[in-house]
Every structure is written in C-alpha cells, then in structure tokens.
C-alpha cells in the first residue's frame, strides 16, 4: 500500500487524550471508566447498553486509547502515512454548560499539541462545546481556525439535544461554513434499546453497533435534508462516518417519499430550489470508507462519487480478539473493499486511500 503515489490517509481514527481519560475516571454515570471486580482491568462505558450486568459491560481500555505513540505504531503497522484524529464519542455533549467552554478549549489544545509531536503525520477534527450555548460554540469555531493542525470538527447526531434539524443549529452551521471547517458526523446514541428485543444482551454489542449506528446517521442526515439545512447553508460540508450509514442505499427511496408527500407539497417544500437527496450527496457530503465490504463501498461511490470517499479505520475500536500485534482484520477489510471497488493501483483507488482527503482537508503544513 505504501507504494501508491498519494499518501494513505485515515480520516476516521479516534483518541481519548489523557485529560479526557482522567475526566471519565472521575465519573460514576455514563460516560465513565472503571474496573468491575474481581477484575482490576479498566473498562470504558459510553453506551446505555453497556451499562448492564453482562459480559458486554463496557470495553477494555488500553494505551491505544490515549497514548499517541500507540497511534503512530498502529499507523506504521498498516502503512498509514497521515491520520486525522478526533475525540471519540460521546465527546463533550454531557459536560455541564458552565464547564463546556473550558473543557473544549483544553481538549482541542491538547489534541493539537499531540499532532505537533508528529508534524505532517497527524491532523485533527476539533470538539465543540455543544452544551455551552451558541455564542460559546461559535467562539470556539473561530478559535479552531487558529490551531495549526485542526481541519474540521467532529459532531454527534443530537446537536444541541434536539437533532440536526434544530433551527438553533443554523448559526453554528453558518459559522462552520464561513470557517471552511467540514463536519465529521459520527453516531453515538443509536436507537432505543427496546427495538432490539428482550434478548439483545445475549448478542454483545452487535445490534446497536452494526444496525443502530448506521440508522442513527441516516435518520439525522435525512432530517437535515427535510428541514432545508442544505438550502439555508448551501456550502456546508459534511463527512459521514461508516459510509453514511444506510443513506447511499436508501437515497432513492427517501427521495421518492419526499416527492410523493402531500404534506410537504402543501407546505411549499417541494419547489424548484429544493436540493434533492442526490444533490446533497454529491455536493455537500463526503463518505468515509469504513463499511467493511466491496458491496457497501460501491453503493457509497455510486451515491456520492469516486472523488468523495475516504479511507478510515475506526481505531482503536474493533481490535483483533486474538493474535496481539498482528494486523487488524477490520483495517485490512477496508483496504480490500477499496481494492475490489476501485482497483489496486488506479487513480480512483489512490484518491480513496488518501488523495481525496488531502484535497478536501488541505492536509499540508
């Protein structure tokens, strides 16, 4: 992989910096980090489904979560030249309003400094103080522009708490558009636990992660489209995690339902100025390639474009269950999907592996 002309860029890779780890260790409610006797190993609990007395309670937390040197070792193992790191879910959504500004500034400065330890190899998506209110958020967006390694922001699907179609978010989207900072949209909250049935805990994390996360993303972006966000903030750019969930596959059905909805027509929302789902996918949205199959990646490419998909790993999540030190199957699967969908050494494959990210995120110093 390292012989390609463009660098290989991982745009979906997380880190919990040391201060964030300390903050989580101090807590007793979600999100938190603690051990569960008789084991002394620390486990991270960030989802309601993990906060139960079961074998799936949380996930082990090792140095790969917080040690930036571990990130570089992982990159070297998998021939990754550049990583765009971001704080993993649940970000700072849960921080009290009075503490939001200070928490975001501290985390963003710390991540920017971590990138500076390996100049040219690490860039970052900043974290917003969403609980702090509009003025605090916009101020941090302005500040992020001055941080050397910041290339966008990571955002969850609830926004300020009411979803991404909330009108209160429009000034924030406008500020991001003006700052030319793309949104990396990442799920966290999934779907209500009741949808998985009474035996859900028998299946570990599979149902909420494999199904809940993609559907959460799809619903959030569809609500943005329905509310006209992309007409009101026409140059807003978003990178959707996990290849946009099910959005590429369902785009045609969503668009058909919109065009045939009498309520939307009566509300005057079907005029010629409306951006279709396809317009948004090809003009406002980029998709990562974290979909683990050639079939899914081909759908993403067909929906958004060969020049709008970008390689990712989701490190440090989905590590091998055995053979510590070996290459991660989850990463190699994404490499193989790009090779199968776009060829092994074609310009299109080189774009997906890194060229597209370098162009879109201006990954240079």
């Amino acid at each position: 992989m390292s012989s390609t002309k463009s660098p290989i860029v991982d745009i979906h890779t997380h880190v919990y910096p040391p201060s964030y780890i300390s903050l989580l260790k101090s807590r007793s409610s979600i999100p938190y980090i603690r051990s569960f006797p008789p084991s002394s190993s620390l486990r991270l609990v960030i989802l309601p489904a993990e906060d139960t007395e079961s074998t799936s309670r949380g996930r082990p937390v090792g140095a790969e979560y917080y040690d930036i040197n571990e990130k570089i070792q992982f990159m070297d193992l998998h021939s990754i030249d550049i990583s765009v790191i971001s704080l993993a879910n649940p970000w700072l959504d849960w921080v009290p309003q009075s503490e939001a500004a200070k928490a975001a500034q501290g985390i963003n400065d710390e991540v920017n400094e971590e990138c500076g330890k390996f100049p040219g190899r690490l860039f970052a998506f900043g974290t917003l103080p969403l609980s702090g209110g509009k003025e605090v958020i916009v101020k941090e967006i302005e500040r992020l522009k001055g941080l050397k390694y910041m290339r966008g922001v990571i955002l969850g699907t609830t926004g300020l708490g009411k979803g991404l179609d909330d009108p209160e978010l429009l000034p924030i989207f406008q500020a991001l558009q003006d700052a030319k900072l793309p949104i990396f949209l990442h799920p966290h909250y999934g779907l209500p636990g009741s949808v998985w049935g009474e035996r859900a805990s028998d299946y570990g994390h599979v149902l909420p992660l494999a199904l809940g996360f993609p559907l959460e993303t799809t619903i959030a972006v569809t609500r943005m489209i329905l509310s006209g966000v992309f007409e009101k903030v026409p140059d807003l750019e978003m990178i959707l995690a996990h290849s946009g969930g099910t959005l590429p596959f369902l785009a045609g059905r969503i668009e058909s339902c919109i065009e045939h909805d009498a309520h939307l027509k009566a509300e005057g929302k079907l005029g010629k100025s409306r951006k279709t789902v396809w317009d948004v996918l090809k003009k406002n949205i980029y998709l990562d390639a974290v979909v683990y199959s050639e079939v899914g990646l081909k759908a993403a490419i067909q929906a958004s474009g060969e020049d709008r998909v970008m390689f990712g790993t989701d490190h440090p999540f989905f590590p091998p269950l055995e053979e510590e030190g070996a290459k991660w199957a989850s990463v190699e699967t994404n490499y193989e999907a790009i090779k199968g969908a776009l060829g092994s050494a074609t310009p299109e494959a080189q774009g997906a592996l890194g060229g597209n990210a370098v162009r879109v995120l201006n990954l240079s110093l």
Side-chain angles (χ1 to χ4, degrees):
M1 287 295 177
S2 59
S3 63
T4 56
K5 294 180 181 179
S6 297
I8 294 178
V9 180
D10 180 358
I11 63 108
H12 186 159
T13 180
H14 302 295
V15 64
Y16 289 127
S19 65
Y20 192 78
I21 293 287
S22 297
L23 188 57
L24 294 180
K25 285 181 178 179
S26 71
R27 293 174 52 80
S28 59
S29 58
I30 296 176
Y32 64 87
I33 291 176
R34 55 163 287 197
S35 61
F36 296 95
S39 173
S40 60
S41 299
L42 292 174
R43 297 184 73 86
L44 169 70
V45 179
I46 56 175
L47 295 169
E50 298 172 340
D51 195 26
T52 59
E53 297 290 345
S54 72
T55 57
S56 62
R57 188 165 191 177
R59 59 197 78 190
V61 179
E64 67 275 10
Y65 278 79
Y66 54 82
D67 186 343
I68 203 66
N69 295 292
E70 292 275 338
K71 181 72 69 182
I72 296 296
Q73 290 177 24
F74 169 84
M75 292 167 62
D76 291 343
L77 177 65
H78 294 93
S79 304
I80 296 167
D81 299 298
I82 301 171
S83 285
V84 186
I85 59 176
S86 53
L87 187 66
N89 46 312
W91 314 286
L92 297 172
D93 293 10
W94 47 274
V95 173
Q97 182 176 5
S98 60
E99 301 173 17
K102 182 178 179 181
Q105 290 174 15
I107 291 291
N108 288 329
D109 287 346
E110 186 174 6
V111 170
N112 192 63
E113 290 171 7
E114 295 281 80
C115 292
K117 295 176 182 178
F118 299 92
R121 295 207 70 186
L122 297 176
F123 295 87
F125 294 124
T127 305
L128 296 180
L130 292 180
S131 60
K134 180 180 66 176
E135 292 183 4
V136 167
I137 298 167
V138 171
K139 185 176 180 180
E140 185 63 11
I141 290 171
E142 289 294 318
R143 203 182 71 88
L144 285 173
K145 291 195 302 180
L147 296 183
K148 185 173 183 178
Y149 299 100
M150 291 296 168
R151 292 298 186 270
V153 302
I154 189 166
L155 188 69
T157 60
T158 63
L160 304 177
K162 299 179 181 179
L164 301 186
D165 54 349
D166 180 2
E168 293 294 318
L169 274 171
L170 288 175
I172 295 162
F173 290 149
Q174 184 68 48
L176 289 167
Q177 175 184 271
D178 295 345
K180 293 182 170 54
L181 292 175
I183 295 169
F184 177 40
L185 184 66
H186 195 291
H188 169 67
Y189 298 95
L191 301 181
S194 59
V195 305
W196 309 125
E198 294 182 359
R199 296 182 58 192
S201 62
D202 294 350
Y203 312 125
H205 298 96
V206 173
L207 292 173
L209 291 183
L211 302 180
F213 270 26
L215 289 171
E216 176 187 343
T217 299
T218 305
I219 292 167
V221 178
T222 301
R223 286 171 58 178
M224 291 179 73
I225 293 171
L226 289 169
S227 67
V229 167
F230 296 104
E231 286 86 22
K232 297 164 186 170
V233 193
D235 296 321
L236 182 67
E237 292 188 322
M238 302 184 73
I239 304 166
L240 307 188
H242 315 125
S243 292
T246 61
L247 189 62
F249 182 80
L250 293 177
R253 180 173 179 82
I254 295 168
E255 179 61 26
S256 179
C257 288
I258 292 172
E259 285 290 336
H260 292 88
D261 193 278
H263 173 75
L264 293 179
K265 183 177 181 179
E267 292 288 313
K269 295 181 179 179
L270 301 183
K272 292 182 179 180
S273 63
R274 180 181 75 87
K275 280 187 174 180
T276 68
V277 179
W278 301 112
D279 291 334
V280 172
L281 276 167
K282 294 181 183 299
K283 296 177 182 178
N284 299 92
I285 281 176
Y286 300 89
L287 304 171
D288 77 12
V290 184
V291 69
Y292 310 107
S293 78
E294 181 181 335
V295 172
L297 186 57
K298 283 183 174 179
I301 291 167
Q302 290 175 356
S304 199
E306 294 173 341
D307 61 340
R308 303 181 76 83
V309 295
M310 308 179 204
F311 174 72
T313 66
D314 213 350
H315 180 261
F317 302 103
F318 302 100
L321 297 180
E322 298 176 354
E323 297 183 69
E324 188 172 337
K327 288 190 175 182
W328 292 30
S330 57
V331 178
E332 295 302 300
T333 302
N334 285 330
Y335 271 138
E336 289 301 314
I338 290 175
K339 179 180 178 180
L342 295 171
S344 58
T346 63
E348 294 78 13
Q350 291 174 19
L353 288 169
N356 297 340
V358 169
R359 183 190 77 248
V360 173
L361 299 174
N362 185 27
L363 299 183
S364 66
L365 296 175

